């Protein structure tokens, strides 16, 4: 029935096998087990509740609901915590170096607890960006019945009749510097952008990954676009717990769901909704843990087949909750399935296939909405995440081209060795139209931690240069970034990649149509510079960032640590 075997209730049987297990039972009795409970499947609840960010501040109630439903459905819940780092709060600071690192910490923590406690199944409840790939990596490693519950999106803020997200605040900083708004207006935007609990509201990284996991089949239909504060999120969480117990009964495992076809479905939906560049990095990492072969070039192959037909921020008009009201990811997927753009035979956490889940979804969205566009009238005829190669990125790079009219640009390099140096230059009006901004030594190893460059890109847009200045980096971009931006450049500067050899005024050419990113230097000149290159010393000598820098691999393979 499944590709992998899972001994149902393995812990339950182990702890009832004779007197040798009396100490195990004694410890569990202290946390509420009774005689009958030892015969139930033990279900872990990985709870990302945290008061450090609105993305995760509303997860505790969902974890409690899951616990109640697991008991009702015949399981024995055991709740444990896992961490989060808020990208939005740490953005533009030293703390952002810990964001991608947290993906590995989350994955390791979930795997460690589930292995250590011999869990029979796990439900992972997360909110902020790295919660989702971290949980998925863990479930792929463990391969016990598992399901992901997204904590839900934040509702949009409102000011002067316009919807706001956190990205508006970053852009307002640039607008203040350009003199187009004053400090009072900046403060008003700041105070109104984030009105309550939930993850950042546009099709940024959190909503991109939740949508993709629903498309992959690892979350319930409609669950990825609900608002945290709405009642349907609580109902969906309870239904997710019930679905997990059904998975236990039928022995449906994550790797039965996370097939190559399922990854292709997820990537296709990322393209359709105009999702974050981070999806490339995270899906490469998840595929690695699931034992599924996946390369950056396959994103490019899928991109050419999939139009962007959802009008969502950051480059569009609407936010995730608007997509939910318009029909959600099931409506998007039904249109794609009918057009032959999805694999309908993939298994999901419901115990049904994608096609079976979508059976009763309308073929077309409601006429009174403008979020989901007709497939033959898309925003863009091809996907927006372009994989580049060239002498500047021999292992690859990722460009995000939604929301910009300029697809080809050539200009002089303006080189910075950190995000902070670059942001200062932008705000001080040292960057001009036609420049190619280079931020390096921000890669997985060189950062360490591969920070997101939302502050510089938002400042460029705020200065009115979004279509006139390109920014390239060996770091990452926020899902809220748009403009002429290219990230994940590999090899990174720290290990001698070409981006580490560039000098001011070198001519860089970006040719999106031909998937090329090059610097106008001869092979002889590049080789001479490489001989003279000395990588800066990584300043972290101990602790989590030092360990990460030693272990992490290339962005072109997902920046994994194992």
């Amino acid at each position: 029935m499944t590709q992998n075997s899972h001994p149902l209730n393995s812990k339950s049987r182990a702890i009832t096998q004779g007197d040798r297990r009396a100490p195990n039972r004694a410890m569990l009795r202290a946390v509420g087990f009774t005689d009958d409970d030892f015969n139930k499947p033990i279900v872990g609840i990985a709870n990302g509740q945290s008061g450090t960010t609105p993305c995760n501040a509303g997860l505790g109630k969902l974890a409690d609901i899951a616990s109640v439903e697991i008991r009702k459905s015949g399981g024995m819940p055991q709740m444990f915590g896992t961490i989060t780092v808020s990208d939005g709060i740490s953005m533009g600071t030293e703390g952002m170096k810990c964001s991608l690192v947290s993906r590995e910490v989350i994955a390791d923590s979930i795997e460690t607890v589930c292995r250590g406690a011999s869990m029979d199944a796990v439900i992972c409840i997360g909110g902020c960006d790295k919660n989702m790939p971290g949980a998925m990596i863990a479930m792929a490693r463990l391969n016990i019945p598992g399901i992901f519950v997204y904590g839900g999106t934040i509702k949009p803020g409102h000011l002067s009749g316009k919807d706001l997200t956190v990205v508006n605040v970053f852009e307002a900083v640039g607008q203040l510097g350009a003199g187009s708004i004053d400090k009072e207006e900046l403060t008003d935007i700041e105070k109104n952008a984030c009105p309550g609990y939930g993850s950042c509201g546009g099709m940024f990284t959190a909503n991109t990954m939740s949508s993709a996991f629903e498309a992959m089949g690892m979350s319930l239909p409609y669950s990825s676009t609900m608002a945290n504060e709405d009642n349907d999120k609580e109902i969906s969480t309870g239904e997710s717990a019930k679905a997990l117990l059904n998975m236990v009964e039928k022995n449906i495992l994550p790797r039965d769901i996370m097939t190559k076809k399922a990854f292709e479905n997820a990537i296709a939906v990322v393209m359709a909704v105009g999702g974050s560049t981070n999806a490339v990095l995270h899906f490469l990492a998840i595929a690695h843990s699931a034992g599924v072969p996946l390369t950056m070039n396959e994103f490019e192959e899928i991109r050419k087949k999939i139009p962007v037909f959802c009008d969502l921020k950051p480059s569009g008009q609407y936010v995730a909750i608007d997509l939910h009201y318009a029909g959600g990811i099931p409506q998007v997927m039904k249109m794609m399935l009918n057009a032959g753009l999805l694999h309908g035979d993939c298994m999901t956490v419901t115990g049904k296939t994608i096609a079976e889940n979508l059976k009763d979804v309308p073929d077309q969205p409601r006429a009174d909405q403008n979020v989901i566009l007709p497939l033959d009238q898309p925003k863009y005829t091809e996907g927006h995440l372009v994989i580049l190669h060239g002498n500047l990125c021999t292992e690859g790079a990722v460009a995000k081209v939604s929301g910009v009219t300029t697809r080809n640009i050539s200009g002089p390099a303006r080189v910075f060795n950190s995000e902070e140096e670059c942001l200062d230059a932008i705000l001080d009006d040292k960057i001009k139209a036609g420049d190619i901004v280079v931020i390096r030594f921000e890669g997985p190893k060189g950062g360490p931690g591969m920070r997101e460059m939302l502050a510089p890109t938002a400042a460029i847009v705020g200065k009115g240069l979004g279509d006139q200045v390109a920014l390239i980096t060996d770091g990452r971009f926020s899902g809220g970034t748009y403009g002429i931006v290219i990230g994940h450049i590999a090899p990174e500067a720290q290990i001698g990649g070409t981006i580490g050899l560039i000098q001011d005024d070198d001519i860089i050419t970006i040719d999106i149509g031909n998937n090329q990113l090059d610097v106008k230097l001869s092979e002889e000149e590049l080789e001479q510079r490489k001989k003279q290159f000395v990588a800066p010393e990584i300043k972290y000598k101990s602790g989590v960032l030092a360990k990460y820098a030693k272990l992490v691999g290339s962005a072109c393979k997902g920046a994994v640590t194992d």
Side-chain angles (χ1 to χ4, degrees), residues 156-207:
H158 300 284
L159 184 66
S160 302
K162 294 181 179 180
D163 286 351
L164 296 178
T165 71
V166 68
V167 173
N168 292 104
V169 188
F170 284 94
E171 291 176 3
V173 174
Q175 291 166 346
L176 178 68
S180 56
I181 65 171
D182 58 28
K183 192 170 182 180
E184 183 178 353
E185 289 174 280
L186 171 62
T187 302
D188 285 342
I189 293 169
E190 173 197 326
K191 288 181 176 179
N192 289 279
C194 299
Y197 290 167
S199 297
C200 298
M203 191 47 68
F204 310 148
T205 301
N207 287 321

Side-chain angles (χ1 to χ4, degrees), residues 118-148:
S118 301
M119 299 290 187
D120 293 308
V122 63
I123 182 169
C124 299
I125 304 174
C128 202
D129 294 9
K130 306 311 174 294
N131 295 181
M132 282 159 280
M136 207 62 58
I137 288 168
M139 286 191 280
R141 291 175 185 170
L142 289 162
N143 206 34
I144 59 176
I147 192 168
F148 184 78

Side-chain angles (χ1 to χ4, degrees), residues 382-431:
E382 293 183 334
H384 62 299
L385 302 181
V386 182
I387 304 303
L388 304 181
H389 293 281
N391 69 353
L392 232 173
C393 54
T394 55
E395 291 180 353
V398 183
K400 186 176 184 181
V401 298
S402 54
V404 297
T405 56
T406 304
R407 299 293 179 99
N408 300 294
I409 184 171
S410 185
R414 298 290 176 253
V415 181
F416 303 93
N417 290 338
S418 72
E419 177 187 7
E420 288 86 353
E421 290 178 26
C422 177
L423 183 60
D424 288 344
I426 295 167
L427 295 178
D428 289 343
D429 293 321
K430 294 179 180 178
I431 302 301

